[in-house]
Amino acid sequence: MPQPSAPRRNPGRPPRISREEIIEAARRIVTEGGVGRLTMRRLATEVGSTPMALYHHVRDKEELLVLLLDDYAARTLRRSELPAHPRERIVAAATAIHEALVACPWIVEVLTADDLMSTSALWFVEQIVDGLVACGLSLDRAVHGYRSIWYYTAGEIVVRTTAARRRADGDPPTYREQVFADLDSNELPRLAQAADRWGALTAEDTYQDGLRALVDGLLVSR
Amino acid sequence: MPQPSAPRRNPGRPPRISREEIIEAARRIVTEGGVGRLTMRRLATEVGSTPMALYHHVRDKEELLVLLLDDYAARTLRRSELPAHPRERIVAAATAIHEALVACPWIVEVLTADDLMSTSALWFVEQIVDGLVACGLSLDRAVHGYRSIWYYTAGEIVVRTTAARRRADGDPPTYREQVFADLDSNELPRLAQAADRWGALTAEDTYQDGLRALVDGLLVSR
DNA sequence: ACCTGAACACCGTTCAAGT
DNA sequence: ACCTGAACACCGTTCAAGT
């Protein structure tokens, strides 16, 4: 994260707004209106200033978003007691990251903005990598394993929040339902067979099941 | 997918532009300039019309993007010979979807726009679900298993294309590198240990490794 | 050093009118 | 039925000037 500008021996005008103030206001906007509501202009009026004043404290909107994610992670991803057993530790650490992400659906836009979620998440990453090593993987394999877990987790979040957003918007026919309604059971027998249950099945939260399968596979196969 | 307006017994003015023409132009713009270049206004000039004419053939920009993805999937996701062995069939089908996505990085924005990738992908989904059933999973577990594979795949794509975009932009310090450079090896020993290799390790394409681990785990654990 | 106003170069979409 | 022009209600960001 870019450092806040180093404190100088105030040889100029005293600042009227601070980085913290900006991020705080941004958090307010985002939590009550979604990330779509967060514009530089709106943020400016929220802090009682002008759009351009913001650019003195933040490089651009992208940096603001990363800052916001970092701030969020710092206040929600608190280290906690994790299981001693390495496999369970991996699952617990990944689940902690996942839960933090689930709780802030605006994350998706930012997720695609940096591959490192946040420094606050590093401790959990450490737990995952270390757990994999403790289970006998080489360090390299453990890092790759962590990556797979991260792909799975990020993907789940993206798909989940998109579906939720869609549901909230109320685009009713959902296209998928249409397609699944008239599926050719000769061509696509399994999908036709599962068609009427598909909606219910995909609505279930199976993050942990998939995670456990993935971890099992990472540990077992080599 | 919304149907093209049903053919009527032309009781009005003959159309000057068609849905196909619009999608074709959109594809052109997107493949040579990225999805960020695709605006309704630019698209209009590309087809030699006005922005508003487009809205006669397409509900809004979101529909246009879904249409575009569908068009893309239809022309790249051709059914092919898949291995007979169910486990390998699952891997091959997932890899086919993955490769199609890798080849069009603009997909990410659209990926988050519908949970059903495209009707053209359904055949591959069928192969995955059927493969899981053939390996002994119940239909419900198989559907959940497919979902896990989709999460993993979508996540890999999102993270990959974001990283690539970032590299292309040339944001040089990459924040991550900074953080990893001064990692406390007491606090985060594994990460510190892997720090100098992290970049290289995460640059490797390990999609298949992770996929195989996930599939193994899905099959083994129950 | 920090902030402001005005402006630039855009967006997606609606609405009323034309053919 | 299909298309157009003008307009609405926005964006992020730059630039030159003010204090």
Side-chain angles (χ1 to χ4, degrees), chain B residues 98-111:
Chain B
H98 181 250
E99 269 169 12
L101 294 175
V102 165
C104 69
W106 54 269
I107 220 88
V108 181
E109 281 84 350
V110 194
L111 224 52

Side-chain angles (χ1 to χ4, degrees), chain A residues 25-38 65 68 104 106-107:
Chain A
R27 191 174 62 243
R28 242 178 0 247
I29 293 174
V30 150
T31 49
E32 68 194 37
V35 78
R37 288 267 106 72
L38 182 64
L65 286 172
L68 198 58
C104 69
W106 55 269
I107 219 89

Side-chain angles (χ1 to χ4, degrees), chain B residues 91-165:
Chain B
V91 171
T95 303
I97 294 176
H98 181 250
E99 269 169 12
L101 294 175
V102 165
C104 69
W106 54 269
I107 220 88
V108 181
E109 281 84 350
V110 194
L111 224 52
T112 68
D114 204 327
D115 65 332
L116 174 63
M117 182 189 149
S118 161
T119 46
S120 310
L122 282 182
W123 184 77
F124 291 89
V125 176
E126 170 78 18
Q127 300 312 309
I128 293 173
V129 174
D130 186 62
L132 290 168
V133 170
C135 289
L137 266 63
S138 72
L139 186 60
D140 286 20
R141 296 210 93 92
V143 171
H144 285 150
Y146 157 70
R147 280 234 124 192
S148 292
I149 293 174
W150 173 238
Y151 294 154
Y152 171 73
T153 303
E156 204 270 354
I157 293 292
V158 168
V159 173
R160 167 203 288 269
T161 61
T162 308
R165 218 166 279 185

Side-chain angles (χ1 to χ4, degrees), chain A residues 1-6 19 63, chain B residues 178:
Chain A
M1 181 180 40
Q3 283 304 102
S5 44
R19 225 178 216 247
E63 185 181 280
Chain B
Q178 290 175 40

Side-chain angles (χ1 to χ4, degrees), chain B residues 161-175:
Chain B
T161 61
T162 308
R165 218 166 279 185
R166 189 151 295 258
R167 235 174 288 125
D169 292 359
D171 295 8
T174 354
Y175 178 24

Side-chain angles (χ1 to χ4, degrees), chain A residues 9-137:
Chain A
R9 275 164 276 114
N10 18 305
R13 189 168 159 170
R16 262 216 267 279
I17 53 175
S18 68
R19 225 178 216 247
E20 287 71 43
E21 217 178 324
I22 291 172
I23 294 173
E24 196 185 305
R27 191 174 62 243
R28 242 178 0 247
I29 293 174
V30 150
T31 49
E32 68 194 37
V35 78
R37 288 267 106 72
L38 182 64
T39 71
M40 298 303 269
R41 296 169 122 98
R42 209 181 298 254
L43 181 55
T45 70
E46 184 81 4
V47 298
S49 185
T50 65
M52 278 320 299
L54 303 178
Y55 286 88
H56 239 268
H57 302 266
V58 145
R59 183 153 40 81
D60 54 15
K61 197 184 177 180
E62 170 139 352
E63 185 181 280
L64 177 70
L65 286 172
V66 173
L67 251 26
L68 198 58
L69 175 55
D70 227 66
D71 167 75
Y72 174 80
R75 68 181 64 230
T76 58
L77 262 182
R78 314 238 68 112
R79 300 179 187 198
S80 54
E81 203 64 40
L82 294 187
H85 183 63
R87 183 186 302 229
E88 290 308 310
R89 190 147 48 92
I90 298 166
V91 171
T95 302
I97 294 176
H98 180 249
E99 268 168 14
L101 293 174
V102 164
C104 69
W106 55 269
I107 219 89
V108 181
E109 280 83 349
V110 194
L111 223 53
T112 69
D114 205 326
D115 65 333
L116 174 63
M117 181 189 150
S118 163
T119 46
S120 310
L122 281 182
W123 184 78
F124 291 90
V125 176
E126 170 79 17
Q127 300 313 308
I128 293 173
V129 173
D130 186 61
L132 291 167
V133 170
C135 288
L137 266 61

